[in-house]
Coordinates of all heavy atoms in Angstrom, one line a residue:
M1 N 25.7 -35.0 -81.7 CA 24.8 -35.6 -82.8 C 24.1 -34.5 -83.4 O 23.3 -33.7 -82.6 CB 23.9 -36.6 -82.1 CG 23.2 -37.4 -83.1 SD 24.3 -38.6 -84.0 CE 23.4 -38.9 -85.5
N2 N 24.2 -34.2 -84.6 CA 23.5 -33.1 -85.3 C 22.6 -33.6 -86.4 O 22.8 -34.7 -87.0 CB 24.5 -32.1 -85.8 CG 25.4 -31.5 -84.8 OD1 24.8 -31.0 -83.8 ND2 26.6 -31.3 -85.0
C3 N 21.6 -32.7 -86.6 CA 20.6 -33.0 -87.6 C 21.2 -33.0 -89.0 O 22.0 -32.2 -89.3 CB 19.5 -31.9 -87.5 SG 18.2 -32.0 -88.7
K4 N 20.6 -34.0 -89.8 CA 21.2 -34.1 -91.2 C 20.6 -32.9 -92.1 O 21.2 -32.6 -93.1 CB 20.8 -35.4 -91.8 CG 21.4 -36.6 -91.2 CD 20.9 -37.9 -91.8 CE 21.3 -39.1 -91.0 NZ 20.6 -40.3 -91.6
K5 N 19.5 -32.4 -91.7 CA 18.8 -31.4 -92.5 C 19.4 -29.9 -92.2 O 19.7 -29.2 -93.1 CB 17.4 -31.3 -92.2 CG 16.6 -32.3 -93.1 CD 15.1 -32.2 -92.7 CE 14.4 -31.0 -93.1 NZ 13.0 -30.9 -92.8
C6 N 19.5 -29.6 -90.9 CA 19.9 -28.2 -90.6 C 21.1 -28.2 -89.7 O 21.5 -27.1 -89.3 CB 18.7 -27.6 -90.0 SG 18.4 -28.1 -88.3
S7 N 21.7 -29.3 -89.3 CA 22.8 -29.3 -88.4 C 22.5 -28.8 -87.0 O 23.4 -28.4 -86.3 CB 24.0 -28.6 -89.0 OG 24.4 -29.1 -90.2
G8 N 21.2 -28.7 -86.7 CA 20.9 -28.4 -85.3 C 21.2 -29.5 -84.4 O 21.4 -30.7 -84.8
K9 N 21.2 -29.3 -83.1 CA 21.5 -30.3 -82.1 C 20.3 -31.2 -81.9 O 19.2 -30.8 -81.8 CB 21.9 -29.7 -80.8 CG 22.3 -30.7 -79.7 CD 23.0 -30.0 -78.5 CE 23.1 -31.0 -77.4 NZ 23.9 -32.2 -77.7
L10 N 20.6 -32.5 -81.9 CA 19.6 -33.5 -81.6 C 19.5 -33.9 -80.2 O 20.5 -34.0 -79.6 CB 19.8 -34.9 -82.4 CG 19.8 -34.8 -84.0 CD1 20.0 -36.1 -84.6 CD2 18.6 -34.1 -84.5
E11 N 18.4 -34.0 -79.7 CA 18.2 -34.4 -78.3 C 17.3 -35.6 -78.2 O 16.4 -35.8 -79.1 CB 17.5 -33.3 -77.4 CG 16.1 -32.9 -77.9 CD 15.5 -31.8 -77.0 OE1 16.2 -31.2 -76.2 OE2 14.3 -31.6 -77.2
V12 N 17.5 -36.4 -77.2 CA 16.8 -37.7 -77.0 C 15.4 -37.2 -76.5 O 15.2 -36.5 -75.5 CB 17.4 -38.5 -76.0 CG1 16.6 -39.8 -75.8 CG2 18.8 -39.0 -76.5
H13 N 14.5 -37.8 -77.1 CA 13.1 -37.4 -76.8 C 12.3 -38.7 -76.6 O 12.2 -39.6 -77.4 CB 12.4 -36.7 -78.1 CG 11.0 -36.5 -77.9 ND1 10.4 -35.7 -77.0 CD2 10.0 -37.0 -78.7 CE1 9.0 -35.7 -77.2 NE2 8.8 -36.5 -78.1
R14 N 11.7 -38.8 -75.4 CA 11.0 -40.1 -75.0 C 9.5 -39.8 -75.0 O 9.0 -38.8 -74.5 CB 11.4 -40.4 -73.6 CG 10.8 -41.8 -73.2 CD 11.3 -42.2 -71.9 NE 10.5 -43.4 -71.4 CZ 10.7 -43.9 -70.2 NH1 11.5 -43.4 -69.3 NH2 9.9 -44.9 -69.9
A15 N 8.8 -40.7 -75.7 CA 7.3 -40.7 -75.7 C 6.8 -42.0 -75.4 O 7.0 -42.9 -76.2 CB 6.8 -40.1 -77.0
C16 N 6.1 -42.2 -74.4 CA 5.7 -43.6 -73.9 C 6.9 -44.5 -73.9 O 7.9 -44.3 -73.4 CB 4.5 -44.0 -74.8 SG 3.1 -42.9 -74.7
R17 N 6.7 -45.6 -74.7 CA 7.7 -46.6 -74.8 C 8.7 -46.4 -76.0 O 9.6 -47.1 -76.3 CB 7.1 -48.0 -74.8 CG 6.5 -48.4 -73.6 CD 5.8 -49.8 -73.7 NE 6.7 -50.8 -74.0 CZ 7.4 -51.5 -73.2 NH1 7.2 -51.3 -71.9 NH2 8.2 -52.5 -73.6
R18 N 8.4 -45.3 -76.7 CA 9.2 -45.0 -77.9 C 10.2 -44.0 -77.6 O 10.0 -43.1 -76.7 CB 8.3 -44.6 -79.1 CG 7.4 -45.6 -79.5 CD 6.5 -45.1 -80.6 NE 5.6 -46.1 -81.0 CZ 4.7 -46.0 -82.0 NH1 4.7 -44.9 -82.7 NH2 3.9 -47.0 -82.4
I19 N 11.3 -44.1 -78.4 CA 12.3 -43.1 -78.1 C 12.8 -42.6 -79.5 O 12.9 -43.3 -80.4 CB 13.5 -43.6 -77.3 CG1 14.4 -42.5 -76.9 CG2 14.2 -44.7 -78.1 CD1 15.4 -43.0 -75.8
R20 N 13.0 -41.3 -79.6 CA 13.4 -40.6 -80.8 C 14.5 -39.7 -80.6 O 14.6 -39.3 -79.4 CB 12.2 -39.9 -81.4 CG 11.0 -40.7 -81.9 CD 11.2 -41.5 -83.1 NE 10.1 -42.1 -83.6 CZ 9.7 -43.3 -83.3 NH1 10.4 -44.0 -82.4 NH2 8.6 -43.8 -83.7
L21 N 15.3 -39.4 -81.6 CA 16.1 -38.2 -81.5 C 15.4 -37.0 -82.3 O 15.0 -37.2 -83.4 CB 17.4 -38.4 -82.1 CG 18.3 -39.4 -81.3 CD1 19.6 -39.7 -82.0 CD2 18.7 -38.8 -79.9
R22 N 15.3 -35.9 -81.6 CA 14.6 -34.8 -82.3 C 15.5 -33.6 -82.3 O 16.3 -33.2 -81.4 CB 13.4 -34.4 -81.4 CG 12.5 -33.4 -82.0 CD 11.2 -33.2 -81.4 NE 11.3 -32.8 -79.9 CZ 10.3 -32.7 -79.2 NH1 9.1 -33.0 -79.5 NH2 10.4 -32.4 -77.9
C23 N 15.4 -32.9 -83.5 CA 16.2 -31.7 -83.7 C 15.7 -30.6 -82.9 O 14.5 -30.3 -82.9 CB 16.2 -31.4 -85.2 SG 17.1 -29.9 -85.6
T24 N 16.5 -29.9 -82.2 CA 16.0 -28.7 -81.4 C 15.8 -27.5 -82.3 O 15.2 -26.6 -81.8 CB 17.2 -28.4 -80.4 OG1 18.3 -28.1 -81.0 CG2 17.3 -29.5 -79.3
L25 N 16.2 -27.5 -83.6 CA 15.9 -26.4 -84.4 C 14.7 -26.6 -85.3 O 13.8 -25.8 -85.3 CB 17.2 -26.1 -85.2 CG 18.4 -25.3 -84.6 CD1 19.4 -25.1 -85.6 CD2 17.8 -24.1 -83.9
C26 N 14.8 -27.6 -86.2 CA 13.7 -27.8 -87.1 C 12.7 -28.8 -86.6 O 11.7 -29.1 -87.3 CB 14.3 -28.2 -88.5 SG 14.9 -29.9 -88.6
H27 N 13.0 -29.5 -85.5 CA 12.0 -30.5 -84.8 C 11.8 -31.7 -85.7 O 10.8 -32.4 -85.5 CB 10.7 -29.8 -84.5 CG 10.9 -28.6 -83.6 ND1 11.3 -28.7 -82.4 CD2 10.6 -27.3 -83.9 CE1 11.4 -27.5 -81.9 NE2 11.0 -26.6 -82.7
K28 N 12.7 -32.0 -86.6 CA 12.6 -33.3 -87.4 C 13.0 -34.4 -86.3 O 13.8 -34.2 -85.5 CB 13.5 -33.3 -88.5 CG 13.6 -34.7 -89.2 CD 14.4 -34.6 -90.5 CE 14.6 -36.1 -91.1 NZ 13.3 -36.8 -91.3
E29 N 12.2 -35.5 -86.4 CA 12.4 -36.6 -85.5 C 13.1 -37.7 -86.3 O 12.7 -38.0 -87.4 CB 11.1 -37.1 -84.9 CG 10.6 -36.1 -83.9 CD 9.5 -36.6 -83.1 OE1 9.1 -37.8 -83.3 OE2 9.0 -35.9 -82.1
Y30 N 14.0 -38.4 -85.7 CA 14.7 -39.5 -86.3 C 14.5 -40.8 -85.4 O 14.5 -40.7 -84.2 CB 16.3 -39.3 -86.3 CG 16.6 -38.2 -87.2 CD1 16.8 -36.9 -86.7 CD2 17.0 -38.4 -88.5 CE1 17.1 -35.8 -87.5 CE2 17.4 -37.4 -89.4 CZ 17.5 -36.1 -88.9 OH 17.9 -35.0 -89.7
Q31 N 14.2 -41.9 -86.0 CA 14.1 -43.2 -85.3 C 15.6 -43.6 -85.1 O 16.4 -43.3 -85.9 CB 13.3 -44.2 -86.1 CG 11.9 -43.9 -86.2 CD 11.1 -44.9 -87.0 OE1 11.4 -46.1 -86.7 NE2 10.1 -44.5 -87.7
I32 N 15.7 -44.4 -84.0 CA 17.1 -44.7 -83.6 C 17.8 -45.6 -84.7 O 18.9 -45.3 -85.0 CB 17.1 -45.6 -82.3 CG1 16.4 -44.7 -81.2 CG2 18.5 -46.0 -81.9 CD1 17.1 -43.5 -80.8
H33 N 17.0 -46.4 -85.3 CA 17.6 -47.3 -86.3 C 18.1 -46.6 -87.6 O 18.9 -47.0 -88.3 CB 16.7 -48.5 -86.6 CG 15.5 -48.1 -87.4 ND1 15.5 -47.8 -88.8 CD2 14.2 -47.9 -87.1 CE1 14.3 -47.5 -89.2 NE2 13.5 -47.6 -88.1
E34 N 17.4 -45.4 -87.8 CA 17.8 -44.6 -88.9 C 19.3 -44.0 -88.9 O 19.9 -43.8 -89.8 CB 16.9 -43.4 -89.1 CG 15.5 -43.6 -89.5 CD 14.7 -42.4 -89.8 OE1 14.8 -41.8 -90.8 OE2 14.1 -41.9 -88.8
I35 N 19.6 -43.8 -87.6 CA 20.9 -43.1 -87.4 C 21.9 -43.9 -86.5 O 22.9 -43.4 -86.1 CB 20.8 -41.7 -86.9 CG1 19.9 -41.8 -85.6 CG2 20.1 -40.8 -87.9 CD1 19.8 -40.4 -84.9
A36 N 21.5 -45.2 -86.3 CA 22.2 -46.0 -85.3 C 23.7 -46.0 -85.6 O 24.5 -46.0 -84.7 CB 21.6 -47.5 -85.3
S37 N 24.0 -46.1 -86.9 CA 25.4 -46.3 -87.3 C 26.2 -45.0 -87.2 O 27.4 -45.0 -87.3 CB 25.5 -46.7 -88.8 OG 24.9 -45.8 -89.7
E38 N 25.5 -43.9 -87.0 CA 26.2 -42.6 -86.9 C 26.1 -42.0 -85.5 O 26.6 -40.8 -85.2 CB 25.4 -41.6 -87.9 CG 25.5 -42.1 -89.3 CD 24.6 -41.3 -90.1 OE1 24.6 -40.0 -89.9 OE2 23.9 -41.8 -90.9
L39 N 25.6 -42.7 -84.6 CA 25.5 -42.2 -83.1 C 26.9 -41.8 -82.6 O 27.8 -42.6 -82.8 CB 24.8 -43.2 -82.3 CG 23.4 -43.5 -82.4 CD1 22.9 -44.5 -81.6 CD2 22.5 -42.2 -82.2
D40 N 27.0 -40.7 -82.0 CA 28.2 -40.3 -81.4 C 28.2 -40.8 -79.9 O 27.2 -41.3 -79.4 CB 28.5 -38.8 -81.4 CG 27.4 -38.0 -80.8 OD1 26.7 -38.5 -79.9 OD2 27.3 -36.8 -81.1
R41 N 29.3 -40.7 -79.3 CA 29.5 -41.3 -77.9 C 28.6 -40.6 -76.9 O 28.0 -41.3 -76.1 CB 30.9 -41.1 -77.5 CG 31.4 -42.0 -76.5 CD 32.9 -42.0 -76.2 NE 33.2 -42.7 -75.0 CZ 33.3 -44.0 -74.9 NH1 32.9 -44.8 -75.9 NH2 33.5 -44.6 -73.7
E42 N 28.4 -39.4 -77.0 CA 27.6 -38.6 -76.1 C 26.1 -39.1 -76.2 O 25.5 -39.4 -75.2 CB 27.6 -37.1 -76.4 CG 26.8 -36.3 -75.5 CD 26.7 -34.8 -76.0 OE1 27.4 -34.5 -77.0 OE2 25.8 -34.1 -75.4
T43 N 25.7 -39.3 -77.4 CA 24.3 -39.7 -77.6 C 24.1 -41.2 -77.1 O 23.1 -41.6 -76.5 CB 23.9 -39.6 -79.1 OG1 24.1 -38.2 -79.4 CG2 22.4 -39.9 -79.3
E44 N 25.1 -42.0 -77.4 CA 25.1 -43.4 -77.0 C 24.9 -43.5 -75.5 O 24.2 -44.3 -75.0 CB 26.3 -44.2 -77.4 CG 26.3 -44.6 -78.9 CD 27.6 -45.3 -79.3 OE1 28.5 -45.4 -78.4 OE2 27.5 -45.9 -80.4
K45 N 25.6 -42.6 -74.8 CA 25.5 -42.7 -73.4 C 24.2 -42.4 -72.9 O 23.7 -43.0 -71.9 CB 26.6 -41.7 -72.7 CG 28.0 -42.3 -72.7 CD 28.8 -41.5 -71.6 CE 30.0 -42.3 -71.1 NZ 30.6 -41.7 -70.0
V46 N 23.6 -41.4 -73.5 CA 22.2 -41.0 -73.1 C 21.2 -42.2 -73.3 O 20.4 -42.5 -72.5 CB 21.7 -39.8 -73.9 CG1 20.3 -39.4 -73.5 CG2 22.6 -38.6 -73.5
L47 N 21.5 -42.8 -74.5 CA 20.5 -44.0 -74.8 C 20.7 -45.2 -73.9 O 19.8 -45.9 -73.7 CB 20.8 -44.3 -76.3 CG 20.3 -43.3 -77.4 CD1 20.8 -43.8 -78.7 CD2 18.8 -43.0 -77.3
E48 N 21.9 -45.2 -73.3 CA 22.1 -46.4 -72.4 C 21.2 -46.3 -71.3 O 20.9 -47.3 -70.6 CB 23.6 -46.4 -72.0 CG 24.5 -47.0 -73.0 CD 25.9 -46.9 -72.6 OE1 26.2 -46.4 -71.4 OE2 26.8 -47.2 -73.4
N49 N 20.7 -45.1 -71.0 CA 19.7 -44.9 -69.9 C 18.3 -45.4 -70.3 O 17.5 -45.5 -69.3 CB 19.7 -43.4 -69.4 CG 20.9 -43.0 -68.9 OD1 21.7 -43.7 -68.3 ND2 21.3 -41.7 -69.1
Y50 N 18.1 -45.8 -71.4 CA 16.8 -46.1 -71.9 C 16.8 -47.6 -72.4 O 16.1 -47.9 -73.4 CB 16.4 -45.2 -73.0 CG 16.2 -43.8 -72.6 CD1 17.2 -42.9 -72.8 CD2 15.0 -43.3 -72.1 CE1 17.0 -41.5 -72.4 CE2 14.8 -42.1 -71.7 CZ 15.8 -41.1 -71.8 OH 15.6 -39.9 -71.5
T51 N 17.5 -48.4 -71.8 CA 17.6 -49.8 -72.4 C 16.3 -50.6 -72.3 O 16.2 -51.5 -73.0 CB 18.8 -50.6 -71.6 OG1 18.5 -50.4 -70.2 CG2 20.1 -50.1 -72.0
A52 N 15.4 -50.1 -71.4 CA 14.1 -50.9 -71.3 C 13.2 -50.5 -72.4 O 12.2 -51.2 -72.6 CB 13.5 -50.6 -70.0
I53 N 13.6 -49.5 -73.2 CA 12.6 -49.1 -74.2 C 12.9 -49.8 -75.5 O 14.0 -50.1 -75.9 CB 12.8 -47.6 -74.4 CG1 12.4 -46.9 -73.2 CG2 12.1 -47.1 -75.6 CD1 12.6 -45.4 -73.2
I54 N 11.8 -50.1 -76.1 CA 11.9 -50.8 -77.4 C 12.2 -49.8 -78.5 O 11.5 -48.8 -78.7 CB 10.5 -51.6 -77.8 CG1 10.3 -52.6 -76.8 CG2 10.5 -52.1 -79.2 CD1 8.8 -53.1 -76.8
Y55 N 13.3 -50.1 -79.2 CA 13.6 -49.3 -80.4 C 12.8 -49.7 -81.7 O 13.2 -50.7 -82.3 CB 15.1 -49.4 -80.8 CG 16.0 -48.8 -79.7 CD1 17.4 -49.1 -79.7 CD2 15.5 -48.1 -78.6 CE1 18.2 -48.6 -78.8 CE2 16.3 -47.6 -77.7 CZ 17.7 -47.8 -77.7 OH 18.5 -47.4 -76.8
D56 N 11.7 -49.1 -81.9 CA 10.8 -49.6 -83.0 C 11.3 -48.9 -84.3 O 12.0 -47.9 -84.3 CB 9.4 -49.3 -82.6 CG 9.1 -47.8 -82.6 OD1 10.1 -47.0 -82.4 OD2 8.1 -47.3 -82.8
Ligands
ZN101 ZN1 17.1 -30.0 -88.0

């Protein structure tokens, strides 16, 4: 999963009960629903570990 702005790698970033994908290069954060339709399999697997978290 790569950043739309700079194509950097996105990593799952957890803060309290919220979860975001954050770019490792430009540090732009994406909400899950913003990119839900574009999630790749690798990222989906990581997110499966956070099922208790509310996707706000
Ligand atoms: Zn970026």
Side-chain angles (χ1 to χ4, degrees):
M1 193 71 202
N2 292 318
C3 179
K4 294 177 191 174
K5 273 177 70 179
C6 73
S7 298
K9 183 171 170 53
L10 297 184
E11 63 177 10
V12 176
H13 170 66
R14 183 180 174 182
C16 300
R17 292 174 61 85
R18 295 179 179 184
I19 191 163
R20 296 284 187 271
L21 288 174
R22 185 168 62 182
C23 177
T24 55
L25 282 184
C26 71
H27 303 295
K28 176 171 173 53
E29 291 191 355
Y30 295 89
Q31 294 184 35
I32 302 301
H33 68 77
E34 286 185 89
I35 54 174
S37 61
E38 300 168 43
L39 289 175
D40 61 21
R41 199 168 168 76
E42 179 189 352
T43 307
E44 279 181 351
K45 276 199 158 189
V46 176
L47 291 175
E48 282 174 5
N49 297 325
Y50 294 95
T51 49
I53 293 177
I54 296 168
Y55 295 169
D56 64 339

